[in-house]
Amino acid sequence: MEVFLIRLLQFMLAISLLVLLHEGGHFFFSKLFGVRVEKFYLFFDLGIGKWKGQLFKFKPKKSDTEYGVGWLPLGGYCKIAGMIDESFDTEQMKQPEQPWEFRSKPAWQRLLIMVGGVLVNFLLALFIYAMVLFTWGDSYMAMKDMTMGMKFNQTAKEIGFQDNDMLLSYDGKPFERYDVDVYRHLADAKAVVVSRDGKEVTITMPEDLSLLTMLQEDPQFARPFIPAEIDSVMPDTPAEKAGLRKGDVIRAINGVEVDSWNEFTYQTGIIADKMTQAETAKDSLALRQVTIVVEHNAQNKEMDKLTDHLNDTIALTLTPDLMMGVGQTSLYTYYEPTKVEYGFFESLPAGVEYGWNILRGYVNDLKYVFTADGAKSLGGFGAIGSLFPESWDWHRFWLMTAFLSIILAFMNILPIPALDGGHVLFLLYEIVTRRKPSEKFMIRAEYVGFGILILLMVVANLNDILRWLGYL
C-alpha cells in the first residue's frame, strides 16, 4: 500500500504540473490576442445531477475567467470563448460573433492559441532534461566497455548472432550506450557488425524484425552477458546452509548447463511455470528438489580443504523462487558506468539533444501500436503510474515527468478532432483554402474525436486490468 501511495502521489503531481502548464500555454496566447478565457480548470468538472462537479473554484474581481479544480482527474481544460471544444457549448456559437471571441480572430492567431499547449509541454520537457543533466549529470553503460558481450536468444542465433558477441555498429553507426535504443537500432538495421573472438563479423538483419517482439520474447532477443557468479549469500538461508558462498559460479541446474545469470533465470522460470501447473503435491515437491552444480573460486576451495565442507555438486531443496537469499552479480559488478558532468550552459544543448532523442524513439515506436501485440501493450493510468519509482526519487521523478510532457505534447498534436492537432489541421485547411469549415462540421468532428479518445482510454485501462488479473 505504501508503494502504491508513493507512486500515486508522484503520478498526480506530474500530471497536475503538466496539465496546468499545457492549458497555461493556451491561456497565455489567448490573453495575448485579447481572447476571453471563460474557465481554467485542473481536472474535469463533470456535473452529476445538481452538483456542478467542482471541488474548488473562484473568480477574481474584474476577471472574465473562473479558475477551479474538478473531481475527474483525466486532464484539464481551458474554455476559450467562441470556440468549439470538448465543452460542446453550441448555444454560444449561435450568438452573434464578438470581437473578444476565438472565432473572430485571424487564423494565424487562432493557430498560435491552439499550439500554445503543445509548445509549452515540449519546451518544458527539454528544460527539465537540461536541468536534470545539470544537477545529476548523465550516467550510462558504454557498449564498448561491455567486453563479455551479449547473451542472445534462439531467434537472434538463427539470424547469425552468437553468445558473447560484442555489438559494435549498425549500418555504419556505432552502438554507444546500453539502453532501449540498442534494440531499436537492431530492429531497424540492415547490417550489424559484432566483435567475435577478436574479429569483426557482419550480420545481415531481416526486414521483418519487430522491436516489440524482441522485447516481449522470453528470453529477450539480446541481454548483457552476466556470469552466474554469486555476489552474496544471506545467513541462515537454505542456500547458505547448503554451502553456497560469495564468489561461487553456478554451472548447471537440473543437468542443464548454464553459462550466465541470463540462462539460469530462464531455466528457473521454466521450473516455476511447471510448479504452477503441478496437479499433485507430490509433483510440486519433486519440482522443488533442484540440483545445481557449483564451481568454487580459489579462496572457497582452500576453505573446503580445511573444513571438508562440501563438493562441487550440491543438491538443494529451496523455496519456489529457488534462490532466496542469494545475491546475483550485475552489470555494475563487472563494468564501471560512464559519467558525464555538465555546466549550466552546457546542459541546455545537451538537454535539447537528449529530449529530441527521446521524442524520436517514441515516434518510431508508434508504428507498433497498429499491430495486435501493440494494441495489447497499450497501458492506461496504472501502467503509467507503475513507471514511477517505488520510493521518492527526485532524479527519476523529473525524468519521468519530462517523458510524460513529451508524450502529452506529441499526442495532443496528432490530427484527431477534439485534440489540439485536430484544430490545427482545420486551421491549416482554412489558411490554405481561405475557407472556414462549417460550425456543423466542426461540432460533428469534435464528437467523433471525443469518441475516439474515450475508446482509446477504455482500451488502455482495460489492458491494465487484464494484466493485473494475469490475462495479458
Side-chain angles (χ1 to χ4, degrees), residues 202-244:
T202 300
I203 298 172
T204 302
M205 302 297 290
E207 295 182 358
D208 59 348
L209 194 59
S210 164
L211 170 66
L212 199 61
T213 302
M214 290 170 64
L215 296 177
Q216 288 180 342
E217 285 182 333
D218 185 21
Q220 287 183 354
F221 186 88
R223 300 140 292 151
F225 186 94
I226 302 175
E229 181 181 356
I230 295 174
D231 183 67
S232 61
V233 180
M234 292 182 62
D236 298 324
T237 58
E240 192 268 344
K241 292 175 181 178
L244 291 183

Side-chain angles (χ1 to χ4, degrees), residues 249-290:
V249 179
I250 298 174
R251 294 302 186 189
I253 176 170
N254 283 354
V256 179
E257 292 187 7
V258 296
D259 58 3
S260 60
W261 282 123
N262 317 78
E263 185 65 27
F264 182 85
T265 301
Y266 178 63
Q267 294 299 328
T268 55
I270 292 175
I271 296 171
D273 288 342
K274 289 180 179 179
M275 283 185 178
T276 61
Q277 298 171 7
E279 297 181 355
T280 66
K282 182 180 179 180
D283 293 338
S284 178
L285 184 62
L287 288 167
R288 291 166 66 96
Q289 183 71 36
V290 178

Side-chain angles (χ1 to χ4, degrees), residues 156-214:
K157 290 176 179 177
E158 290 174 359
I159 294 172
F161 292 98
Q162 294 182 14
D163 289 341
N164 300 111
D165 281 353
M166 286 181 61
L167 298 175
L168 298 181
S169 65
Y170 61 99
D171 295 339
K173 302 173 186 177
F175 287 100
E176 294 182 350
R177 58 172 71 197
Y178 177 66
D179 56 19
V180 71
D181 281 344
V182 169
Y183 302 97
R184 290 193 181 106
H185 299 328
L186 287 170
D188 297 335
K190 294 180 180 179
V192 172
V193 177
V194 301
S195 176
R196 181 181 300 163
D197 299 326
K199 298 178 181 180
E200 291 190 2
V201 178
T202 300
I203 298 172
T204 302
M205 302 297 290
E207 295 182 358
D208 59 348
L209 194 59
S210 164
L211 170 66
L212 199 61
T213 302
M214 290 170 64

